[in-house]
Amino acid sequence: MTYTCTLNTQAGDMRAAAENDALTGLWFVGQKHYPIYPIDRAEWTDQPDHPVFVMLREWLSEYFCGNIPAYSVKLAPKGTDFQKSVWDALADIPYGQTVSYKDIADRVSCLSPRAVGGAVGRNPISILIPCHRVIGSGGGLTGYAGGTDKKAALLKIEGRS
């Protein structure tokens, strides 16, 4: 069973999904790769008071206040082994720092920053798996499934201009 709820955040409305005791998805409503209904969401049950979402709301509240949350939310993103290796590398990017797609490609021993970019773009757990911290090799804000305006806003919260 997948539980879900909609969250209102400072960066826009987000949809969260959880299974058992772990967060499996957090998307900006309408973003690229947003789950399609009814195919992807047929088995979803709205349960905003699920314990994962209670913890997630607290985590996001701390984050949007500009603080590094002192605890973590258990994550269980679904994807290929390659995607998961990229998402693990994203999770290691420290708060307030950025890296390039090439940096991530080097970390996961992939010769193609473009392939890494595809995996980054399919990250199913925005913000907590910080794909917004990946920028172009020239330092510019490149694509972001939620939109580059949201990427810029998240980086600004973390003290990056």
Side-chain angles (χ1 to χ4, degrees):
M1 175 68 65
T2 300
Y3 300 100
T4 187
C5 74
T6 300
L7 305 165
N8 302 100
T9 75
Q10 289 86 328
D13 289 345
M14 300 187 82
R15 190 78 172 165
E19 292 179 14
N20 301 315
D21 63 345
L23 186 69
T24 58
L26 182 62
W27 306 268
F28 288 101
V29 172
Q31 77 169 49
K32 189 174 182 180
H33 308 300
Y34 185 73
I36 302 167
Y37 183 81
I39 298 167
D40 293 343
R41 298 186 292 167
E43 301 295 322
W44 288 22
T45 300
D46 194 51
Q47 189 174 359
D49 60 344
H50 189 283
V52 171
F53 303 143
V54 171
M55 184 175 282
L56 175 61
R57 280 188 196 88
E58 292 173 12
W59 193 99
L60 289 170
S61 177
E62 284 293 313
Y63 177 84
F64 282 110
C65 285
N67 300 318
I68 300 172
Y71 56 90
S72 61
V73 175
K74 184 177 177 183
L75 307 178
K78 295 178 182 179
T80 67
D81 289 342
F82 174 70
Q83 288 171 329
K84 288 178 181 179
S85 72
V86 170
W87 302 336
D88 287 344
L90 296 177
D92 289 338
I93 304 168
Y95 181 95
Q97 295 184 24
T98 56
V99 300
S100 71
Y101 292 94
K102 181 167 181 349
D103 294 332
I104 297 295
D106 290 344
R107 287 186 194 181
V108 299
S109 301
C110 177
L111 297 176
S112 173
R114 184 174 296 260
V116 166
V120 170
R122 293 230 176 238
N123 170 21
I125 304 178
S126 295
I127 304 174
L128 283 81
I129 298 178
C131 54
H132 61 278
R133 295 180 188 152
V134 182
I135 59 174
S137 58
L141 294 184
T142 54
Y144 183 64
T148 54
D149 58 326
K150 287 181 176 54
K151 184 175 196 168
L154 295 173
L155 290 172
K156 186 176 181 180
I157 288 168
E158 296 182 16
R160 301 291 297 210
S161 56

